[in-house]
Amino acid sequence: MKIYADYHTHTIYSHGTGKIEDNARVASEKGLKEIAITDHGFNHQLYNVMRKDIPLMRRQIEELKDKYNVKILLGVEANLISSEGDIDVEHKDEEKLDIILMGFHKRVFAKRLKDRFGFFIPNFFAKIFGYSKKRIDINTQAYLKAIEKNNIDIITHLGYGMEVDAVKIAKSCKEHNVYLELNGKRILFKECEMQKIIDTGVTFIISSDAHRPSRVGECPLGISYVLKYNIPIEQIANINKITAFKKHN
Ligand SMILES: [Zn+2]
Ligand SMILES: [Zn+2]
């Protein structure tokens, strides 16, 4: 059982400590066949990649093409920015990217003021005082709408920052050919829902979410889930194989 590709890594363009080249070099040293550079989306308040950097990043990737024995994809880890399923990667951005990841992050500029007060802040308090069924439903719907409305390839660390119905979201991922991530730092699926998620037939993808080059390709947490829950290897996108994505450009 070998991870062939790591499709979720950060660089100095957002919250990472290494350059694109550092991540690529480490990926190649560890025998990965593919790596994706997926810095935080444009609306992140602290660690956003900037639109003006995307062409520069693409040029660097182009220059590194033959230097290391690893294919480098350019992506973004987009943010969910409203309860209506809006994300901070627009269609005009999409054509410049190879893959789009999407996750919920707390320190993000909401789409509208009403999303700040009706979506982000209630989730902040729900984390402290508990989630109502209605709140979980609103959160779940936000993900379902995001999957419907956008060309997302991977949902990252589902359940982080807000409680959701992960089984419903997994079903939608399966329907729309979206991979569900087993994140390198945090996996928040509940024990009781894990088998139901697997039974939806969704394809998982294991990634490091590396913020340091040395962590690229390091995915022991994801692998431990595969072993613990006996997830069939056919249901993992990047074990013993590389992955096909929707084409964005
Ligand atoms: Zn993230
Ligand atoms: Zn990340």
Side-chain angles (χ1 to χ4, degrees):
M1 189 158 76
K2 184 171 167 21
I3 303 281
Y4 270 40
D6 187 352
Y7 297 109
H8 186 172
T9 75
H10 294 272
T11 71
I12 46 172
Y13 286 102
S14 66
H15 196 200
T17 60
K19 297 179 187 155
I20 294 176
E21 176 158 8
D22 299 324
N23 286 15
R25 190 186 57 247
V26 172
S28 150
E29 283 165 5
K30 291 186 181 171
L32 299 185
K33 296 187 187 312
E34 294 191 349
I35 183 180
I37 305 298
T38 56
D39 279 302
H40 287 294
F42 310 113
N43 279 37
H44 201 291
Q45 290 171 354
L46 302 173
Y47 308 115
N48 59 306
V49 65
M50 286 189 263
R51 278 194 172 83
K52 71 171 174 57
D53 286 335
I54 298 289
L56 187 69
M57 295 167 84
R58 175 64 77 192
R59 264 204 310 282
Q60 286 176 19
I61 287 171
E62 200 52 34
E63 281 162 20
L64 291 167
K65 201 168 66 179
D66 300 317
K67 191 162 177 186
Y68 301 101
N69 197 20
V70 63
K71 183 176 174 186
I72 311 166
L73 305 180
L74 179 58
V76 162
E77 185 184 9
N79 296 296
L80 184 61
I81 56 170
S82 84
S83 58
E84 292 304 307
D86 297 294
I87 68 172
D88 58 357
V89 168
E90 295 169 13
H91 289 302
K92 68 171 192 287
D93 303 312
E94 254 181 52
E95 57 196 36
K96 301 181 185 120
L97 302 166
D98 302 314
I99 65 169
I100 296 170
L101 282 55
M102 196 283 286
F104 178 76
H105 299 92
K106 283 168 275 189
R107 293 188 177 136
V108 160
F109 293 110
K111 182 163 174 84
R112 292 160 297 236
L113 214 55
K114 75 168 201 179
D115 295 305
R116 164 110 338 247
F117 290 104
F119 188 51
F120 282 83
I121 292 176
N123 271 303
F124 173 80
F125 284 111
K127 221 174 149 39
I128 302 166
F129 299 113
Y131 289 88
S132 65
K133 206 178 156 297
K134 185 172 166 231
R135 179 56 47 200
I136 294 171
D137 194 45
I138 291 169
N139 294 345
T140 304
Q141 287 302 323
Y143 270 92
L144 296 179
K145 287 173 191 169
I147 292 167
E148 290 267 335
K149 270 165 67 162
N150 304 285
N151 289 315
I152 295 166
D153 293 287
I154 301 173
I155 296 286
T156 63
H157 46 63
L158 186 61
Y160 175 63
M162 61 159 64
E163 207 169 310
V164 294
D165 184 334
V167 180
K168 269 192 196 158
I169 296 167
K171 264 186 210 154
S172 174
C173 285
K174 162 80 179 159
E175 232 171 84
H176 293 86
N177 293 318
V178 175
Y179 297 114
L180 194 55
E181 185 189 49
L182 294 174
N183 185 277
K185 293 190 294 195
R186 43 178 89 92
I187 299 178
L188 294 139
F189 302 125
K190 294 179 195 131
E191 178 102 36
C192 63
E193 65 187 7
M194 203 51 212
Q195 192 54 49
K196 288 182 198 150
I197 294 171
I198 297 167
D199 290 344
T200 65
V202 70
T203 304
F204 296 91
I205 199 157
I206 299 176
S207 55
S208 68
D209 197 357
H211 285 58
R212 277 179 283 132
S214 60
R215 285 212 61 249
V216 168
E218 298 296 319
C219 312
L221 186 60
I223 290 171
S224 76
Y225 264 68
V226 175
L227 297 173
K228 182 174 176 191
Y229 293 99
N230 270 319
I231 304 176
I233 296 297
E234 313 83 74
Q235 254 175 277
I236 317 283
N238 59 336
I239 286 184
N240 300 344
K241 56 182 175 290
I242 53 163
T243 303
F245 292 105
K246 296 165 183 164
K247 278 234 170 347
H248 296 283
N249 50 12

